Amino acid sequence: VKPEVDYSPLLKERHQFIGRNLSISYKKPLKIVKGALQYLYDDKGDTYIDCVNNVSHVGHCHPVVVKAMQRQIATLNTNTRYLNDQLVEFGKELTRTLPSKLKVCYFTNSGSEANDLAIRMSRHFTKRKDVMVLDHAYHGTSTVAIEMSPYKFDGKGGFGQMPYIHKADSPDLYRGPFGYNDSQAGVKYAESVKKILAENPGKISAFICETLLGVGGQIPLPDGYLQEVYRLVREAGGLCIADEVQVGFGRVGEKFWGFELQNVEPDIVVLGKPIGNGHPLAAVVVTEEIADAFNNGMEYFNTFGGNPVSMATGRAVLNVIQSENMQQHALETGNFLMEGLRGLMDKHPVISDVRGHGLFVGAEMVKDRLTKEPAVAEINALVESMKERGFLLSTDGPLYNVLKIKPPLVFSKQNAADMVRHLDEALTALSL
Ligand code: PMP
């Protein structure tokens, strides 16, 4: 047992000099000083398996990505007003992974900024203002992104729902009115979108949702859902935006993009988090028509967006995902992991639903499988206990009772097996 470190001086200064509403994970905070692939190391020399950071997509400090960044930052970093090969090459490489109609890239520095830009572009294209979102969604921290995020505007400190924002039902097969056994659930959940469109004729500029719901509770969309929703939205003259910030870039295993699981092609995709493996980089990719409408006389200039270091980083990340076959790995490891988690359900009734695709997995925890009362204290105790065992996990969902598992894609089958074994032991120790 290592001696406790007293973090109170650091915590005190943090509270003094840094915004007070930055949260800190765990009752006893961790001071992480180093990362390597799926492992994080604290100041005491303890090793943790990162089971939750989908930003460090190809692994913390992946050497190929680090080298590419080092090389470029030592050569040049400036804005997009000079010609630069990195910018165009990354645009080419990125669009190659997307449907052919998604051709034109705009680079930003965060997912929030990218969602904000996507909405601005939709408004230029459609000459409408309103936006439809899904209940419980989160799309970012800018003023517009908060307005699009029921998770924020409905919660503490929120300003409530703006009159130009419309909230469709979350298509939650576990908790919603249409369940896993209903083969028509996708179309039935789309009714809520249909109703909003009918009530607001000529007003909806865009419908935006994640292609698997993250903050909404690690929820894969029901079969046929987006096909029906996109059809309805387009019929009403709106655009369809896919927020791939959490789930894109091969994480879902079967496909490279989340929207491909639904057999749809969005008009706009928003990319973030994994695209730069932790470097601040995000993107909006649109059709020629939308790009033309946005090219309306006002310059689009973004001081940092598209800089050569970000572009070299994005290119290296994409290259590593492809050359190290990470999509296939995510599929195999994710299936193995979900099988292990489902195996715990008999012994531990607190786990009531295991769902996901590839390495985007959620395990819902309830006090009672019939009432589905959320097991919040229990899941928090589990996450703390798993940390003591060397596994970093967190919780999500509108009821705060979904175990969120979305590790760097280098997470191995051995890591998955160890995690499941420790979950079993921790749940047993907690009598759950
Ligand atoms: N969209 C989704 C789905 C997200 O999960 C997030 C971040 N959690 C964002 C957008 C905002 O991205 P960022 O924090 O990079 O601004």
Side-chain angles (χ1 to χ4, degrees):
V1 176
K2 300 204 172 85
E4 290 285 324
V5 177
D6 179 12
Y7 294 125
S8 50
L10 183 58
L11 280 166
K12 188 166 167 251
E13 290 197 329
R14 177 169 160 131
H15 288 308
Q16 190 178 348
F17 295 112
I18 308 294
R20 316 263 194 306
N21 46 359
L22 267 66
S23 72
I24 300 175
S25 300
Y26 303 113
K27 285 185 192 145
K28 284 189 206 159
L30 284 176
K31 188 171 178 191
I32 297 293
V33 293
K34 192 174 153 63
L37 301 176
Q38 67 272 50
Y39 302 102
L40 289 171
Y41 306 92
D42 72 4
D43 55 343
K44 298 171 200 153
D46 283 331
T47 303
Y48 294 89
I49 300 179
D50 185 347
C51 307
V52 77
N53 195 335
N54 59 337
V55 179
S56 305
H57 193 62
V58 298
H60 293 276
C61 306
H62 190 291
V64 173
V65 178
V66 170
K67 269 265 153 45
M69 296 170 79
Q70 284 173 331
R71 209 177 301 124
Q72 186 58 51
I73 206 164
T75 308
L76 172 74
N77 199 17
T78 185
N79 66 49
T80 48
R81 284 184 175 137
Y82 303 101
L83 295 180
N84 189 280
D85 291 333
Q86 298 280 22
L87 173 67
V88 177
E89 289 305 314
F90 188 42
K92 267 201 262 180
E93 288 161 7
L94 195 55
T95 50
R96 231 175 261 147
T97 67
L98 287 158
S100 60
K101 71 171 196 178
L102 290 166
K103 284 202 176 75
V104 189
C105 303
Y106 298 80
F107 293 107
T108 69
N109 314 291
S110 70
S112 308
E113 205 191 330
N115 271 326
D116 202 305
L117 180 62
I119 296 304
R120 190 149 70 87
M121 294 172 107
S122 308
R123 288 175 173 164
H124 277 289
F125 186 78
T126 59
K127 311 272 188 290
R128 300 172 178 183
K129 183 169 184 189
D130 291 22
V131 176
M132 197 183 330
V133 302
L134 290 186
D135 203 2
H136 312 303
Y138 178 64
H139 294 292
T141 190
S142 73
T143 301
V144 169
I146 293 278
E147 288 178 358
M148 291 153 55
S149 302
Y151 166 68
K152 292 286 185 190
F153 69 64
D154 276 342
K156 274 190 207 157
F159 287 122
Q161 189 170 340
M162 294 294 145
Y164 44 86
I165 300 294
H166 307 272
K167 206 165 62 173
D169 294 344
S170 170
D172 180 344
L173 289 168
Y174 176 69
R175 282 188 180 270
F178 315 113
Y180 288 112
N181 295 330
D182 186 342
S183 65
Q184 294 305 301
V187 174
K188 290 181 183 170
Y189 280 113
E191 277 294 317
S192 148
V193 170
K194 193 175 184 176
K195 185 162 173 275
I196 292 169
L197 290 167
E199 287 166 356
N200 298 276
K203 281 174 74 179
I204 307 292
S205 171
F207 168 87
I208 180 168
C209 76
E210 287 188 272
T211 52
L212 286 87
L213 313 180
V215 170
Q218 300 289 102
I219 296 175
L221 297 175
D223 286 345
Y225 175 73
L226 276 189
Q227 270 187 356
E228 181 64 1
V229 168
Y230 280 18
R231 187 185 70 74
L232 293 165
V233 171
R234 285 175 176 148
E235 204 174 77
L239 294 177
C240 301
I241 306 176
D243 182 334
E244 292 272 340
V245 167
Q246 287 219 25
V247 300
F249 289 95
R251 172 164 299 278
V252 298
E254 292 112 282
K255 303 286 182 185
F256 198 73
W257 300 110
F259 63 77
E260 293 178 290
L261 293 172
Q262 288 274 309
N263 289 313
V264 291
E265 291 192 359
D267 305 302
I268 300 180
V269 291
V270 176
L271 314 175
K273 291 188 194 279
I275 188 174
N277 207 49
H279 179 81
L281 168 61
V284 184
V285 189
V286 304
T287 62
E288 289 284 3
E289 295 75 26
I290 295 170
D292 281 346
F294 189 56
N295 188 16
N296 53 13
M298 184 199 285
E299 180 188 11
Y300 173 66
F301 178 66
N302 186 324
T303 302
F304 301 124
N307 74 72
V309 173
S310 295
M311 298 299 95
T313 307
R315 293 184 71 193
V317 174
L318 199 52
N319 174 14
V320 168
I321 297 169
Q322 288 162 346
S323 62
E324 296 193 15
N325 217 0
M326 288 196 175
Q327 183 185 329
Q328 182 63 24
H329 177 79
L331 176 65
E332 288 165 18
T333 315
N335 283 342
F336 177 78
L337 171 67
M338 280 188 277
E339 204 179 291
L341 292 171
R342 288 193 181 112
L344 296 178
M345 288 175 71
D346 283 342
K347 197 166 154 196
H348 305 287
V350 72
I351 305 178
S352 58
D353 192 37
V354 173
R355 55 195 180 231
H357 282 278
L359 283 172
F360 189 81
V361 175
E364 182 138 357
M365 290 180 51
V366 295
K367 287 179 195 271
D368 179 314
R369 284 189 183 172
L370 280 179
T371 64
K372 298 185 182 174
E373 185 186 345
V376 178
E378 292 80 355
I379 199 169
N380 289 336
L382 179 66
V383 166
E384 292 283 344
S385 158
M386 286 299 282
K387 171 220 168 193
E388 298 304 321
R389 294 165 174 270
F391 296 84
L392 304 182
L393 283 157
S394 70
T395 63
D396 222 328
L399 304 171
Y400 312 102
N401 69 326
V402 179
L403 197 63
K404 186 161 74 167
I405 308 170
K406 46 187 179 72
L409 297 193
V410 278
F411 191 78
S412 67
K413 276 193 181 166
Q414 188 61 55
N415 295 147
D418 291 343
M419 187 180 96
V420 169
R421 180 168 54 82
H422 278 276
L423 278 172
D424 186 13
E425 288 175 15
L427 287 165
T428 304
L430 292 164
S431 311
L432 293 171

